[in-house]
Amino acid sequence: VDHISSFRKMSVYEKPQDRVLIMLSSGNLAISQAVKEHLSHTPKDDALTIWTARNLFEVAQLVGEAIRVVAARETEALKAAGVEFNINLLLGGQIAGESTRLFHIYAAGNFIEATDENCYFQIGEAKYGKPIIDRVIHAETPLMDAIKCVLVSFDSTMRSNISVGLPIDLTCYARDSFNLDRVHHITDSDSYFSQISQRWSEGLRGVFASLPDPDWEIAPDTRDSFSIPPP
């Protein structure tokens, strides 16, 4: 781990009063950059683009098609080099005429959409930060609570995995605003992130200390099953 670089994993596509699209990526960086480059190309004919799609479902289809194009071109070479074709994308936002939507797009180019029952997605290193989100987030969670929760989730992940670290790009979109009014680049000098990281750690230790000790005893007929017999 003596060669570490930071790359932005968030892309924003914004057309005033018409659409705001936000895409997050994880997996092979070269693949995700190739997919974004393919999406940025202007077709010679009247083919659909992310700027002309009528709804976010069509945008998700375009992103899936871009992944397949890159996969068809790169998969064999990557396989020969022992590298897996690995990419996951989150696509969210709003196009005028419909409500906000969120999609998880997989390496095969297929995708699923968030629902009230499954109202969030995670990509990348998820296992360390997922428990707090599972306990807190639901469809009616206020925006400020969601922001705190996702930052705590990131903090928990960074403490357990050295491959995840600052900076963090945070973007909040308010429905029907067609404007990104909260865009924040969080670095190690961010006082708010440092504060919630410290208070979360202290709170966890405090709750742990307040838990009662076990009040059961090992029954005589099972005690030996937990011990190593003498030689």
Side-chain angles (χ1 to χ4, degrees):
V1 292
D2 58 349
H3 182 73
I4 299 174
S5 300
S6 296
F7 290 89
R8 179 160 288 185
K9 303 296 184 69
M10 176 184 293
S11 300
V12 176
Y13 307 87
E14 189 174 6
K15 185 177 180 181
Q17 303 308 312
D18 180 69
R19 65 194 59 207
V20 172
L21 310 174
I22 303 165
M23 190 161 66
L24 308 177
S25 64
S26 73
N28 187 293
L29 180 64
I31 294 172
S32 61
Q33 288 183 344
V35 169
K36 293 173 187 177
E37 181 66 21
H38 183 84
L39 288 170
S40 68
H41 286 168
T42 302
K44 297 180 181 180
D45 51 21
D46 294 330
L48 207 63
T49 72
I50 59 175
W51 301 109
T52 60
R54 293 162 294 184
N55 52 62
L56 214 60
F57 185 89
E58 289 186 343
V59 177
Q61 289 180 314
L62 290 171
V63 175
E65 291 169 6
I67 292 175
R68 295 188 188 103
V69 169
V70 174
R73 185 178 67 225
E74 305 290 350
T75 298
E76 288 303 316
L78 290 173
K79 184 177 180 181
V83 178
E84 179 185 1
F85 188 89
N86 179 24
I87 182 174
N88 277 276
L89 299 172
L90 296 185
L91 172 70
Q94 184 178 18
I95 293 178
E98 65 173 0
S99 186
T100 52
R101 303 176 77 174
L102 174 65
F103 294 87
H104 182 178
I105 307 173
Y106 299 95
N110 58 327
F111 53 85
I112 59 174
E113 183 173 6
T115 64
D116 285 347
E117 292 76 23
N118 184 19
C119 61
Y120 80 89
F121 294 129
Q122 271 185 297
I123 55 176
E125 179 54 84
K127 59 180 177 291
Y128 300 109
K130 191 173 186 294
I132 175 61
I133 298 180
D134 284 338
R135 290 177 181 272
V136 172
I137 297 296
H138 53 81
E140 303 302 323
T141 301
L143 181 59
M144 289 299 105
D145 286 351
I147 291 173
K148 288 186 291 185
C149 184
V150 75
L151 291 179
V152 168
S153 175
F154 262 101
D155 179 66
S156 299
T157 301
M158 288 189 294
R159 284 179 175 271
S160 299
N161 189 321
I162 61 172
S163 70
V164 180
L166 297 172
I168 298 171
D169 288 312
L170 173 67
T171 298
C172 300
Y173 174 72
R175 183 179 56 203
D176 298 328
S177 67
F178 295 100
N179 178 52
L180 293 178
D181 58 350
R182 290 190 183 96
V183 180
H184 198 45
H185 187 67
I186 301 170
T187 66
D188 54 7
S189 62
D190 189 282
S191 60
Y192 176 72
F193 185 76
S194 298
Q195 178 186 5
I196 65 170
S197 175
Q198 179 181 355
R199 294 185 63 177
W200 179 251
S201 295
E202 293 172 350
L204 283 178
R205 289 192 291 268
V207 170
F208 180 80
S210 70
L211 294 175
D213 292 336
D215 60 358
W216 67 80
E217 295 183 1
I218 299 176
D221 59 339
T222 62
R223 185 175 297 144
D224 288 343
S225 64
F226 293 97
S227 61
I228 300 175

